[in-house]
Amino acid sequence: MGVATVTSAIAAPRPTHRPRARKSRLVRADALEIADVVRVASDGGVVLAGYVASDLVAQASETRSAERTAEECRVDVDCEIPPTPQGLDVIRLNRYAAFGWFDGCISHVFIGWLDAASAGWTSNEATRCFEQVVVDMALFSPVWCALFLISMEAMMMDARLPLRAAVSARLKGEYSELLLGNLAFWIPANAVVFGLVPVDYRVAAFSAINFAYTVLLSIWAEGDKDKPEEAADKEKVETKEIEIIDQI
C-alpha cells in the first residue's frame, strides 16, 4: 500500500450515527415534553369540570334556599324578603371554571413533585403517606387558600374598592376560616388519596372528592332548612288537637 493510499484512508471520514442518535434523543425529549403538557392540561380540564359541576349544584341549592325563605317571609310581615337569584350566574360560573383549570394545572405539578421527592424520604409506605399529607397541608393548602381568595376577588372586578384594598379585606376576613376548614376536611381526604390512589389519578380523585363534598353540603343545607318547617307543621297539628279537645 502506497503512502498516498494510507493517507487517504486515514483522512477519509468514518461513518458515524451520532447525529442521527442525537436527533432521536431530541425527538424523544420533545415527545415527552408534549406528553407532560398534555397531562397537565388534561388534569386542568378535569378539575375545571369538577369546579363547574360543584358551582352548578351550589347555585341550584342557593336558589331553592332563597325561594323557600321568600315563601316564609310572605307569612311573617317582619321578615325581609331576600333577593331570589335570577337564573344561572354565568359570570360566577366562569370565575370558578378559570380558577378550576389553574388549580388542576398547579395541582398536577405539585403532586408530581411531591411523589418524586418523597420517594427518597423513607421506604415505609405508611410513613411516606403521612409525610406527603404533612407537606401538602403545610405548603400547598396555605398558598391555595390565598390564591383562591385573591383570584376570586380579582375576577369579580368590583369597582367600589381598589383591587388591593378589596383583596386585603377579603384575606383578612376569610383566609383563616377557609384555611381551617380546608385543613379539617382535606387531612383525612389526603390520607386516603396519597395512600391508595396512584399518582397519575390523584388530581382526578381530589376533584371527585371536592364535588362529592359540595353535593353533600348542599343536601345538608337543604335538610337543615326543612327542620324548622317540620317543627312548625308539628306545632300546628298539636295546636289543632288541643283546640279540638277544648271544644269537646
Side-chain angles (χ1 to χ4, degrees):
M1 182 182 292
V3 176
T5 307
V6 173
T7 305
S8 62
I10 295 174
R14 297 181 180 180
T16 177
H17 297 287
R18 288 182 182 177
R20 183 176 297 176
R22 184 179 179 185
K23 184 178 180 180
S24 177
R25 285 196 299 270
L26 289 174
V27 170
R28 285 198 298 271
D30 290 342
L32 289 173
E33 289 177 2
I34 293 172
D36 287 341
V37 171
V38 170
R39 283 194 289 268
V40 171
S42 297
D43 276 343
V46 168
V47 179
L48 182 155
Y51 269 72
V52 169
S54 298
D55 191 51
L56 288 173
V57 171
Q59 288 198 43
S61 176
E62 290 166 8
T63 300
R64 288 193 297 269
S65 178
E67 290 173 349
R68 186 171 302 175
T69 305
E71 287 292 332
E72 294 172 358
C73 286
R74 289 190 180 94
V75 180
D76 187 358
V77 293
D78 295 328
C79 179
E80 182 180 349
I81 299 177
T84 303
Q86 301 297 320
L88 181 67
D89 189 344
V90 179
I91 296 176
R92 166 178 154 174
L93 195 66
N94 288 338
R95 288 200 301 269
Y96 277 93
F99 186 80
W101 189 82
F102 172 72
D103 184 13
C105 293
I106 62 172
S107 295
H108 176 97
V109 174
F110 179 80
I111 289 172
W113 167 83
L114 182 58
D115 185 74
S118 63
W121 295 346
T122 179
S123 58
N124 186 284
E125 288 300 320
T127 305
R128 183 186 179 193
C129 175
F130 173 77
E131 291 174 343
Q132 285 178 321
V133 172
V134 171
V135 172
D136 184 88
M137 292 294 99
L139 295 182
F140 189 80
S141 287
V143 175
W144 182 92
C145 291
L147 288 175
F148 177 78
L149 294 175
I150 293 170
S151 300
M152 288 296 149
E153 191 62 41
M155 286 187 286
M156 285 179 68
M157 294 181 290
D158 191 347
R160 291 176 296 179
L161 280 176
L163 179 59
R164 180 179 294 183
V167 167
S168 178
R170 189 156 189 179
L171 287 173
K172 288 179 181 178
E174 300 179 26
Y175 180 78
S176 298
E177 182 180 358
L178 178 62
L179 180 60
L180 289 175
N182 194 279
L183 294 176
F185 175 75
W186 283 109
I187 285 177
N190 278 3
V192 172
V193 173
F194 284 123
L196 300 177
V197 180
V199 64
D200 290 339
Y201 303 102
R202 286 176 186 170
V203 174
F206 282 126
S207 181
I209 292 172
N210 186 58
F211 174 70
Y213 178 62
T214 303
V215 172
L216 288 174
L217 281 181
S218 299
I219 294 172
W220 173 81
E222 289 297 307
D224 199 46
K225 288 286 184 181
D226 287 336
K227 289 179 182 178
E229 291 186 0
E230 292 172 0
D233 292 339
K234 185 177 180 181
E235 185 178 351
K236 288 178 183 178
V237 171
E238 291 175 351
T239 303
K240 286 184 179 180
E241 290 176 351
I242 293 172
E243 290 175 354
I244 292 171
I245 291 173
D246 290 339
Q247 289 175 1
I248 295 174

